[in-house]
């Protein structure tokens, strides 16, 4: 994940983000993709004991100098050895 920053707002000031945000807000801000950025992709796979595994991928690119787009997905599985 391309994180730029994580902001934590506690208490009543968090109500700026919505009426249901009484206790606080955690806001995750990601890096933007420049409109002229070249295509970039990455894939990660992991395997472990007890049929545990994870596959994740991400792709990003600029869209004709107008906007930037980034897509990502992940899948994780594991099985309890005692079941």
């Amino acid at each position: 994940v391309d994180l730029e920053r994580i902001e934590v707002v506690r208490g009543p000031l968090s109500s700026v983000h919505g009426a249901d945000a009484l206790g606080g807000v955690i806001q995750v801000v990601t890096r933007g993709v420049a409109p002229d950025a070249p295509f970039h992709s990455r894939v990660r796979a992991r395997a472990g004991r007890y049929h545990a595994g994870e596959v994740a991928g991400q792709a990003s690119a600029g869209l004709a100098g107008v906007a930037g787009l980034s897509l990502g997905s992940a899948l994780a599985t594991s099985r309890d050895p005692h079941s």
Side-chain angles (χ1 to χ4, degrees), residues 9-26:
V9 180
R10 299 176 69 184
L13 183 61
S14 65
S15 64
V16 172
H17 295 279
D20 294 332
L22 296 176
V25 172
I26 298 175

Side-chain angles (χ1 to χ4, degrees), residues 2-74:
D2 294 326
L3 290 177
E4 183 174 314
R5 68 183 180 275
I6 297 176
E7 300 174 350
V8 178
V9 180
R10 299 176 69 184
L13 183 61
S14 65
S15 64
V16 172
H17 295 279
D20 294 332
L22 296 176
V25 172
I26 298 175
Q27 183 172 349
V28 178
V29 180
T30 59
R31 289 189 192 109
V33 178
D36 58 348
F39 177 77
H40 174 76
S41 65
R42 61 182 162 192
V43 175
R44 181 184 69 219
R46 296 180 184 183
R49 297 178 2 180
Y50 306 118
H51 303 285
E54 176 183 292
V55 178
Q58 180 185 14
S60 62
L63 301 174
V66 176
L69 177 67
S70 180
L71 300 171
S73 183

